Amino acid sequence: MAKRKGDAEPEKPEGKAQRVNTWTDFSSSDPLYALKGEVATASLVDDAGAVDDVKMAQYLEVLVVQKAAQKPKDWLEFWQALELPVQGPQQAAVLGSIIHFCLDHAPVGGLGPILAELIKGHRVKTKVVEDALEATMVGREDSEGVLREMLIRIFPKGPQSEWGWSRTGWSWQEWWKIVQKTMSVLHPTSGFVELGLLLERLEAEAQLPLVEQPTWTQPRLKKARELLCELGGLEDWELDSCFNARLR
């Protein structure tokens, strides 16, 4: 029967009202889920790569200070919620903001492991990480070992190795490129120390001197010594007394 003019609207059954932004209900019980919902409805960065610093600070306050991100892999979910374009300056700009904040406020699990997870989780390319680190850590000391912790986690798995990151196309050569570019960003003394500690860590993980590991051929060991000499302002023969890692 057709509704006559003036007839009252029928009441909607209780519980059928459409809910909008239900993620707000979880701001206390599941702050990471709530934050992802908020991020998905916000505009954080413009086409030119300019980040909304106010919003970014609010998000990082929740993730880092309030510890909504309880482990490095939680950052994969946050990054996915941002829906940043693969091409363009947006990714490096946002990652730079994250790095800058986390250098002053230590996130759960550490910044280095977070960067490694973003790379391993195919959220960002190594070039984006390099650009963001150059923008935020140039000339700085890496007192927390951020680069070292990132690089150890993306070291390529060798054919006879029981540890390392295995991915199609990922090789020692690609890994060494990011080592060179990131370590060279730091203050030279810090880069020298951090690279030496990284090599010691690689030796300890394999429980075998670098010079005896199949992955570390003589040409590769030579590259490592050359970079150490460049950063430390030393001659090759002086390296033997600087670190425990065997480079010859």
Side-chain angles (χ1 to χ4, degrees):
M1 182 174 65
K3 185 176 70 172
R4 293 177 299 176
K5 185 176 181 181
D7 285 352
E9 290 287 340
E11 293 185 4
K12 295 181 179 179
E14 291 185 8
K16 296 294 185 180
Q18 186 176 4
R19 301 293 302 277
V20 180
N21 293 342
T22 56
W23 47 264
T24 58
D25 297 341
F26 296 88
S27 57
S28 297
S29 61
D30 192 345
L32 179 60
Y33 175 80
L35 182 63
K36 289 190 297 179
E38 180 178 353
V39 167
T41 63
S43 178
L44 181 63
V45 57
D46 63 23
D47 293 339
V51 178
D52 186 325
D53 293 331
V54 175
K55 287 181 181 177
M56 193 73 220
Q58 292 173 346
Y59 298 160
L60 292 172
E61 174 75 17
V62 174
L63 286 165
V64 180
V65 180
Q66 298 178 23
K67 295 181 171 57
Q70 286 291 302
K71 55 186 181 299
K73 283 190 175 182
D74 285 345
W75 289 80
L76 301 182
E77 298 181 38
F78 171 70
W79 192 270
Q80 185 173 3
L82 292 172
E83 296 185 346
L84 299 172
V86 176
Q87 303 295 331
Q90 292 88 344
Q91 288 199 1
V94 172
L95 188 59
S97 295
I98 292 173
I99 293 171
H100 187 269
F101 188 91
C102 291
L103 287 173
D104 295 326
H105 307 82
V108 175
L111 177 56
I114 289 170
L115 295 175
E117 288 297 339
L118 289 173
I119 293 173
K120 293 165 68 175
H122 307 291
R123 296 297 189 270
V124 296
K125 296 184 181 297
T126 55
K127 180 64 167 62
V128 171
V129 176
E130 291 167 7
D131 291 345
L133 287 169
E134 183 175 5
T136 54
M137 296 190 71
V138 61
R140 292 184 59 142
E141 293 185 359
D142 188 7
S143 58
E144 300 300 321
V146 172
L147 300 187
R148 180 175 12 119
E149 293 298 327
M150 175 188 75
L151 293 165
I152 192 73
R153 285 167 171 77
I154 60 172
F155 185 76
K157 186 179 186 300
Q160 298 175 330
S161 176
E162 296 182 358
W163 72 281
W165 180 37
S166 179
R167 189 191 79 175
T168 302
W170 187 243
S171 63
W172 186 93
Q173 289 85 351
E174 293 301 314
W175 177 80
W176 186 249
K177 287 179 184 177
I178 191 172
V179 171
Q180 287 181 297
K181 291 179 180 178
T182 55
M183 287 294 180
S184 298
V185 163
L186 302 176
H187 184 281
T189 301
S190 181
F192 172 75
V193 171
E194 288 303 310
L195 177 56
L197 293 175
L198 172 63
L199 295 171
E200 288 184 346
R201 179 84 173 274
L202 289 168
E203 193 169 90
E205 288 288 343
Q207 299 182 339
L208 193 67
L210 291 181
V211 71
E212 297 180 22
Q213 295 181 30
T215 298
W216 288 92
T217 61
Q218 285 301 319
R220 292 174 180 177
L221 289 170
K222 185 173 184 292
K223 287 179 182 292
R225 294 199 306 271
E226 288 174 345
L227 183 54
L228 282 169
C229 288
E230 178 185 336
L231 293 170
L234 301 176
E235 297 294 333
D236 186 89
W237 62 269
E238 296 179 282
L239 294 176
D240 295 339
S241 60
C242 294
F243 301 103
N244 293 325
R246 288 180 54 190
L247 303 177
R248 69 175 87 252

